[in-house]
Amino acid sequence: MSTFIEERLLDKVTYSSQFGTEFNTRVVTLRSGVERRNANWSAPLGRYSIRYELLEPDEHQIVLNAHKACMGALVGFRLKDWSDYEAIDEFIGTSDGTTNQTLQLTKRYKFGPLAYDRKISKPVYSTVKLYADGVEIPYTLDSTTGLITFSHGTSGAIMTWSGEFDVPVRFDDDRLDVELVYHTEGGFLLSTDVSLTEVRL
């Protein structure tokens, strides 16, 4: 069985949903009180607490289907992280002037002299645009890896991209609880909480 599928979980979430990321840092305090800090991970992992409120029966069925088909935490899938899902004019490299050059989509997070370059492996194909020195150019994109291939005759051209992207995640729990909120002519309106963890691919 595949451990990841390219389907996106229902993105009709409520305002109480939480989207976060975490690093793993080892902190040792010496007898002098001075700290020694070491990064155990070179990249963070997303942690998500999704609240689905008052879902219609057909909408709830989408979430239920996902949990059952993925056998709980077994199989990963796509999630739209509403707190961070868009790249705008992100630099990904320079053109070498050859045919079929391939670059990895990334997004940079900068704070003072520090920067973190995030690999974007799950772009949303229909939203992606590629630019050479600010001029949009054609490309082919592997939306399962974030590798973008293009041909551009000008060596040294600055390559940038814009578009949306998803996060690869899995369910945290093998159990899914559902709350029956109230009944309508179309059936019960349902609510559920879903915890998700980003997976490294």
Side-chain angles (χ1 to χ4, degrees), residues 87-96 101-108 117-121 123 128-135 137-141 145-152 156-163 165:
I88 300 175
D89 294 328
E90 289 289 335
F91 171 77
I92 55 172
T94 57
S95 171
D96 60 13
Q101 181 181 354
T102 298
L103 294 172
Q104 174 69 55
L105 297 184
T106 59
K107 180 176 180 179
R108 170 162 286 197
D117 291 313
R118 176 185 182 183
K119 176 183 175 182
I120 303 299
S121 62
V128 172
K129 294 184 178 181
L130 180 68
Y131 303 92
D133 287 337
V135 178
I137 64 171
Y139 62 85
T140 57
L141 174 66
T145 63
L147 291 173
I148 194 164
T149 303
F150 58 93
S151 299
H152 191 67
I158 302 299
M159 306 303 302
T160 57
W161 78 286
S162 296
F165 55 90

Side-chain angles (χ1 to χ4, degrees), residues 18-21 48 80-86 107 109:
Q18 296 180 353
F19 301 83
T21 56
Y48 309 100
K80 183 172 185 176
D81 178 348
W82 284 97
S83 70
D84 185 10
Y85 65 91
E86 191 174 20
K107 180 176 180 179
Y109 300 79

